[in-house]
Amino acid sequence: MASKKICVFPGDGIGPEVMREALAVLRTVETVSGGRRFETEEALVGGASYEAHGTPMTPDALALAKASDALLLGAVGGPKWDVLPFDLRPERGLLGLRRELGLFANLRPAVVFAPLIDASPLRRELVEGIDLMVVRELTGGIYFGEPRGESVIDGVETGINTEIYTRPEIERVARVAFDLARKRTRRVTSVDKFNVLESSVLWHRVVSEVGAKEYPDVELSHMLVDNCAMQLIRNPRQFDVMVTTNLFGDILTDEASMITGSIGMLPSASIGGKVGLYEPIHGSAPDIAGKGVANPLAMVLSVAMMLKYSFDMPVEAAWIEKAVARVLADGYRTGDIYREGEGKKVGTTEMGDRVRDAVQKTSLER
Ligand code: IPM
Ligand code: MG
């Protein structure tokens, strides 16, 4: 079988630390699979690229990404680069990658692992069995809309961004959500702000039309984003697939992550283009970078999503997911999910090692 070419962007902060563990897990999968081959090549993005090349993404790195079968990315950003002009900031590297590769749909599953129920700040009865999927539009909306910028207008400092969506942009991301719903419980909640924003009026209407015309078998409901933020805490179990705009999805998925106990647990898949991009939803966590305490599980689970969505290797993906569940059941916890007196507190490397051991075991349970 031909080997898969993976372009690896460790990025900044805890990115390289969690990436190291995730790649080690991938190597274990390769070994125990007896036949799968993964070739990895590293490239720079974000602050790391800025330091080396004076730009958060070079044309060479982009070309490498485009020529690969899938991309893994750790995290970008840090206080050191927050003073730079916008075009040079680490985040621009990531946003450029998403946009250049046409990755318009970002899948962010929030799944509660049973052993972590008490790590959630929400009560056990609210979070038990949570398994929801947020589909975040990723290449449009206020993140990319023009006009944008800072200027002085009539002597007043002014910052401008534009929320803009077109029918085709909404249709294609809605279809991703409806298709996913068909493999789940056939329920979609579309989240917008149509009582205030025209872009949301169009969003609301187009999602409704796509649902009615193409997916009559899927139950569609709409929710305003402020209400949704509240409902996610009040009763998260009411949700299955959610679809929303770039900015609302950014915010709601950080919120959803806490239902599961920690933002350090949530992976994501960005799809829609020729090559998929897989990254944790957490950031570069500069406060804990280099200390060896970061939770690598979101990055590890992102590798599982890559195997599933880009390489059609559901069996191997399940090894990783089961391995993570097993390690948590065995009581291993990084600081973010550790509770005094429960389980064993471990660092990034040991957590990675435990997952690799568990992958070996779960792979034998064929
Ligand atoms: C995310 C992050 C990014 C975003 C930043 C780092 C640009 O917060 O992936 O959620 O806003 O999309
Ligand atoms: Mg975010």
Side-chain angles (χ1 to χ4, degrees), residues 150-330:
E150 269 198 271
S151 52
V152 179
I153 300 179
D154 294 338
V156 182
E157 282 179 278
T158 309
I160 302 174
N161 292 93
T162 306
E163 171 82 350
I164 173 166
Y165 272 112
T166 61
R167 173 176 280 274
E169 284 176 317
I170 302 167
E171 283 178 348
R172 63 186 185 181
V173 74
R175 288 189 186 109
V176 170
F178 284 118
D179 283 337
L180 278 169
R182 278 191 170 150
K183 297 183 193 141
R184 298 168 57 103
T185 67
R186 292 177 185 260
R187 285 182 300 134
V188 171
T189 307
S190 172
V191 181
D192 62 47
K193 187 73 184 172
F194 93 133
N195 53 346
V196 176
L197 305 175
E198 283 81 355
S199 56
S200 275
V201 171
L202 182 67
W203 180 279
H204 198 100
R205 190 168 72 236
V206 171
V207 174
S208 292
E209 284 174 14
V210 171
K213 277 193 206 128
E214 302 172 32
Y215 301 87
D217 53 314
V218 178
E219 188 191 318
L220 171 67
S221 56
H222 299 272
M223 199 176 269
L224 292 172
V225 64
D226 49 350
N227 182 32
C228 180
M230 190 263 282
Q231 296 293 341
L232 266 174
I233 302 295
R234 195 184 72 85
N235 176 20
R237 232 194 318 266
Q238 68 186 287
F239 298 108
D240 185 2
V241 174
M242 303 164 78
V243 61
T244 191
T245 64
N246 204 343
L247 181 63
F248 295 162
D250 179 45
I251 300 167
L252 292 175
T253 52
D254 266 34
E255 187 186 358
S257 76
M258 278 317 291
I259 301 170
T260 74
S262 167
I263 196 166
M265 294 297 301
L266 259 64
S268 88
S270 302
I271 60 170
K274 210 165 68 48
V275 277
L277 165 66
Y278 301 83
E279 53 172 325
I281 85 156
H282 63 66
S284 58
D287 51 323
I288 57 165
K291 296 188 177 151
V293 298
N295 184 348
L297 294 180
M299 188 73 240
V300 167
L301 290 168
S302 298
V303 168
M305 289 190 92
M306 173 184 77
L307 296 177
K308 198 183 318 179
Y309 291 103
S310 275
F311 299 161
D312 194 22
M313 298 181 185
V315 173
E316 289 81 351
W319 291 345
I320 297 181
E321 285 163 2
K322 282 188 199 151
V324 168
R326 186 173 192 138
V327 164
L328 294 171
D330 287 346

Side-chain angles (χ1 to χ4, degrees), residues 76 91 94-95 98 108 136 143 250 279 281:
V76 295
E91 290 77 6
L94 173 56
L95 296 175
R98 290 170 176 171
R108 300 191 156 187
R136 168 189 175 193
Y143 271 58
D250 179 45
E279 53 172 325
I281 85 156

